[in-house]
Amino acid sequence: MDNSNDSSSSLSFVSSHLSHGCSNHNVSSSTSNEHGENIEILSLSKLSGSLEKLLIDAEYDYSDAEILVEDIPVGIHRCVLASRSPFFHELFKKGIDGSGKEGKPRYLMSDLVPYGAVGYEAFQVFLYYLYTGRLKASPTEVTMCVDETCIHDACRPAINYALELMYASATFQMKELVLLFQRHLLNFVEKALVEDVIPILMAAFNCHLDQLLSRCIQRVARSDFDNISLEKELPREVVTEIKSLRPQSQPESSPNAREVEPLNEKGIRRIHKALDSDDVELLKLLLNESSVTLDDAYALHYACAYSDSKVVQEVLSLGLANILRRSSRGYTVLHVAARRKDPSILVALLNKGADASDITPDGQTALAICQRLTRRKDYHEKTVQGKESNKDRLCVDVLEREMRRNSMTVIVSVSSQLTAADLHRRLDYLEDRVAFARLFFPAEARVAIENAEADSSSLDASSSALKGPNGHLKEVDLNESLPARTRKLQLRLHALMKTVENGRRFFPHCSEVLDKFLEDDMPDVFVLEKGSEEEQRIKKARFMELKDDVQKAFYKDMAENNHSGFSSSVSSSSSSTRREGLNHRVRKK
């Protein structure tokens, strides 16, 4: 946090004794008194340093319990925590069966702090204070966003980090820390966007911080935050108080923000309830029976904020909502989705014509919104082979590429005059490409597949219908007419090509890596399971080496992308598309 260094000095028991010594220092005091005070200060300093070793020095690891934070076990000494915190004193009196490393008692942070989250970095800072009486400086990787223009005084990572420390301090009953972090959060209330004040308000409500709660309620009451969102995100008693204050407050934006609720409010709420229950069929019935439209209810805005990504795609497929419509606060659906940080929703909206260059009334694009919500730690998190990429980084990458994207999209056309041999070769190539994409880049592949014309379930269904047990396309069924068979293959081809097109558009570097990989004379995915055990072992070892090479190439491309311009991205995509043409060299099966 911004004032952590000041906090360190004010909360340190070493510094408090220094202050005490200075205030009581008298020029006429005896030398013996001064000497005694200096010894006391020195002793406390040494005690603090000795306890610090227990926490940070592996050679002094005599921990007798552990707390699991973000799947990371943190060793603790129960006697230290019990002596410092009434919460831990009561917790450890109850006892717990050994379930951690070497039979040590293990506690889950999610169980200890039920109303809020406490991350690994925040807990380390809190724990350091318990052991040493000093607060460490805040780690920048979790307190700063990835927007280079942000001064990080009220962006979401800074707020979330302060909230994590507040939840830890309040739950574990460290009153001096509660007072300190409440002052920090009070500083955020007037600086932050009203959307970012909501989690502060919830922390104040859950931790019973009356002063902070009152300030947050007043801030929200003055804002144009709509009643539907208030009711969705805040407790009923808080919403009631905010509404009671609003007639006495002046809105911060246009009068339209709080216009009188229309007579068709009941129909709007029914539409929202249908979206809450993921019932698109009910939504269709409501639209047929009522004069309320999706745009009247801002249904697409609501779905992008609160519904599952598949529901958003189904609502989009109805074709009844204006994707460029702005809410009373001036937000497009893409702005709302950027705050949600779901890559599948972002890609679905962009595919339907959402404009990434649209700005909010305060001048933010969807990309800027997403960047200011993303911690540096999450954005720069290393991707592990076969594991999902961080969603926050995926969202930023998708929006960055869309901002650079040329209005002229390279589209791979499918000719209806393809011969049967060409069609099979084309399908073989695309099947392999999607299979390898799922292995190397599972998160990116899933987003591309979900937003293809056929969703992932239909993609998998058509794949199993067209493929035999060996993974290759089935032989032609003699009882099936040729036009019907060709149509089925073309539908499968179209779904695969749409998936690849999404990959090239939103994940060009991953696509380039796949291009390079597929140019080599590589074994088919399904061949890896054939042969003797020794042959399979050798094949799989070679396959893992190749995966490692591909991943290294991906990191290199990502690094270059940070400095590359628009033209290189389009050039890469265009050349890759040409390599995928009908005359592409296909591996022998």
Side-chain angles (χ1 to χ4, degrees):
M1 290 177 301
D2 298 335
N3 299 324
S4 57
N5 291 332
D6 295 338
S7 308
S8 177
S9 61
S10 64
L11 286 173
S12 167
F13 59 68
V14 175
S15 298
S16 66
H17 279 273
L18 277 167
S19 300
H20 179 72
C22 291
S23 62
N24 291 307
H25 177 69
N26 194 307
V27 177
S28 61
S29 62
S30 65
T31 305
S32 59
N33 288 339
E34 291 181 359
H35 184 63
E37 289 178 358
N38 289 335
I39 290 177
E40 185 178 2
I41 293 169
L42 181 61
S43 298
L44 288 171
S45 179
K46 285 187 175 180
L47 175 61
S48 177
S50 298
L51 290 172
E52 181 182 19
K53 289 181 181 179
L54 295 176
L55 191 63
I56 66 174
D57 194 335
E59 187 178 346
Y60 291 86
D61 181 13
Y62 300 109
S63 60
D64 58 1
E66 61 185 25
I67 298 178
L68 198 65
V69 188
E70 295 182 342
D71 295 326
I72 303 173
V74 178
I76 59 170
H77 304 80
R78 284 178 287 179
C79 59
V80 176
L81 269 63
S83 66
R84 295 282 278 146
S85 162
F87 174 91
F88 285 114
H89 175 61
E90 294 298 324
L91 176 68
F92 297 147
K93 280 201 305 185
K94 300 174 184 177
I96 189 172
D97 296 332
S99 57
K101 184 179 179 182
E102 301 175 356
K104 296 178 182 178
R106 169 175 285 187
Y107 304 87
L108 302 181
M109 181 61 75
S110 56
D111 293 338
L112 299 179
V113 187
Y115 294 113
V118 177
Y120 176 78
E121 290 81 8
F123 185 61
Q124 286 287 353
V125 169
F126 177 82
L127 208 57
Y128 188 86
Y129 174 76
L130 291 187
Y131 276 74
T132 69
R134 303 192 304 270
L135 278 175
K136 294 199 300 184
S138 305
T140 58
E141 67 270 17
V142 294
T143 57
M144 292 187 179
C145 67
V146 295
D147 184 354
E148 297 299 329
T149 65
C150 180
I151 60 175
H152 311 297
D153 65 335
C155 57
R156 191 60 173 267
I159 293 173
N160 284 347
Y161 178 74
L163 288 172
E164 290 176 11
L165 287 171
M166 173 56 83
Y167 276 117
S169 303
T171 302
F172 304 140
Q173 301 173 24
M174 299 300 293
K175 293 181 180 179
E176 69 273 29
L177 291 183
V178 170
L179 292 173
L180 172 69
F181 296 127
Q182 181 173 226
R183 288 199 299 271
H184 280 297
L185 291 170
L186 283 168
N187 290 334
F188 287 133
V189 171
E190 297 302 328
K191 296 179 183 177
L193 295 172
V194 65
E195 291 91 347
D196 296 327
V197 174
I198 298 300
I200 301 177
L201 189 156
M202 287 304 303
F205 179 83
N206 291 326
C207 300
H208 308 289
L209 305 173
D210 294 339
Q211 181 187 3
L212 182 59
L213 180 61
S214 176
R215 286 278 295 278
C216 289
I217 288 175
Q218 292 173 27
R219 170 73 169 86
V220 175
R222 294 196 310 269
S223 76
D224 57 359
F225 204 68
D226 62 276
N227 288 336
I228 289 174
S229 299
L230 286 177
E231 294 168 4
K232 186 74 178 175
E233 300 182 24
L234 296 177
R236 181 177 298 176
E237 57 266 43
V238 175
V239 174
T240 301
E241 186 171 353
I242 291 173
K243 288 181 177 179
S244 69
L245 290 173
R246 278 195 157 167
Q248 308 165 25
S249 304
Q250 293 296 322
E252 294 178 345
S253 62
S254 65
N256 295 333
R258 293 192 298 105
E259 59 188 15
V260 178
E261 292 187 354
L263 296 175
N264 54 15
E265 179 192 357
K266 193 172 183 180
I268 291 174
R269 291 187 179 275
R270 284 177 176 173
I271 287 175
H272 291 167
K273 285 183 179 179
L275 291 171
D276 287 337
S277 60
D278 297 342
D279 195 338
V280 179
E281 292 302 318
L282 174 59
L283 177 65
K284 292 177 184 177
L285 289 174
L286 292 173
L287 292 173
N288 289 333
E289 296 173 358
S290 170
S291 61
V292 179
T293 66
L294 290 180
D295 287 343
D296 292 335
Y298 293 102
L300 195 52
H301 288 77
Y302 187 90
C304 288
Y306 304 116
S307 299
D308 184 81
S309 60
K310 289 187 176 180
V311 174
V312 174
Q313 293 178 42
E314 289 184 56
V315 174
L316 284 170
S317 67
L318 297 178
L320 301 175
N322 178 6
I323 202 166
L324 300 178
R325 180 173 172 77
R326 291 180 180 267
S327 68
S328 60
R329 303 184 64 217
Y331 280 31
T332 67
V333 290
L334 193 63
H335 295 143
V336 176
R339 293 198 67 85
R340 173 81 174 272
K341 293 192 297 184
D342 186 323
S344 292
I345 294 177
L346 290 174
V347 170
L349 293 175
L350 291 169
N351 270 336
K352 290 294 185 178
D355 190 347
S357 63
D358 281 343
I359 61 173
T360 60
D362 60 350
Q364 291 194 81
T365 63
L367 173 60
I369 291 172
C370 206
Q371 287 175 328
R372 295 203 176 195
L373 294 171
T374 302
R375 303 186 302 177
R376 291 185 177 181
K377 173 189 175 181
D378 298 326
Y379 184 76
H380 297 294
E381 181 182 3
K382 184 178 180 181
T383 302
V384 180
Q385 293 185 50
K387 301 294 183 181
E388 292 192 1
S389 299
N390 185 279
K391 280 190 174 183
D392 290 7
R393 189 180 72 190
L394 274 181
C395 290
V396 173
D397 287 348
V398 164
L399 291 169
E400 279 182 338
R401 291 184 182 117
E402 185 65 14
M403 291 289 283
R404 292 196 305 265
R405 181 173 172 264
N406 193 334
S407 58
M408 296 295 295
T409 307
V410 179
I411 301 175
V412 183
S413 61
V414 184
S415 171
S416 59
Q417 302 302 318
L418 288 178
T419 65
D422 286 337
L423 195 57
H424 276 271
R425 282 198 298 270
R426 187 82 168 143
L427 278 168
D428 284 343
Y429 170 78
L430 293 173
E431 294 278 8
D432 285 349
R433 185 184 185 89
V434 172
F436 279 115
R438 282 172 161 168
L439 280 174
F440 295 152
F441 314 109
E444 290 86 343
R446 186 172 64 251
V447 170
I449 291 170
E450 285 180 353
N451 287 277
E453 263 195 19
D455 61 21
S456 57
S457 59
S458 63
L459 198 61
D460 291 336
S462 59
S463 175
S464 59
L466 291 172
K467 287 190 148 191
N470 63 350
H472 301 305
L473 294 174
K474 291 180 180 178
E475 298 296 329
V476 175
D477 183 358
L478 295 178
N479 294 321
E480 185 177 29
S481 67
L482 183 59
R485 176 66 180 174
T486 302
R487 176 62 179 162
K488 192 179 294 184
L489 291 175
Q490 286 178 338
L491 287 174
R492 173 65 179 166
L493 181 64
H494 182 76
L496 288 168
M497 290 190 69
K498 185 65 177 176
T499 299
V500 173
E501 181 186 336
N502 281 340
R504 292 199 185 285
R505 177 179 178 184
F506 298 107
F507 310 110
H509 296 283
C510 299
S511 296
E512 186 176 345
V513 169
L514 289 171
D515 288 335
K516 294 175 181 176
F517 180 73
L518 292 171
E519 283 178 349
D520 296 332
D521 190 18
M522 291 302 306
D524 186 58
V525 179
F526 307 99
V527 177
L528 294 176
E529 304 300 327
K530 295 182 179 180
S532 65
E533 289 186 7
E534 179 63 17
E535 288 174 338
Q536 287 185 38
R537 186 188 65 78
I538 295 173
K539 288 177 182 178
K540 289 180 179 179
R542 173 59 181 149
F543 187 60
M544 294 307 296
E545 290 176 9
L546 289 165
K547 283 182 68 176
D548 186 56
D549 292 341
V550 169
Q551 204 68 15
K552 288 177 181 177
F554 171 68
Y555 290 135
K556 181 179 178 182
D557 289 342
M558 288 296 292
E560 291 176 355
N561 181 54
N562 292 333
H563 304 286
S564 65
F566 155 77
S567 59
S568 61
S569 175
V570 174
S571 172
S572 169
S573 179
S574 301
S575 60
S576 300
T577 302
R578 287 195 294 272
R579 286 196 297 269
E580 192 191 297
L582 294 178
N583 295 325
H584 192 285
R585 179 173 60 84
V586 182
R587 300 191 306 279
K588 299 293 183 183
K589 298 287 181 178

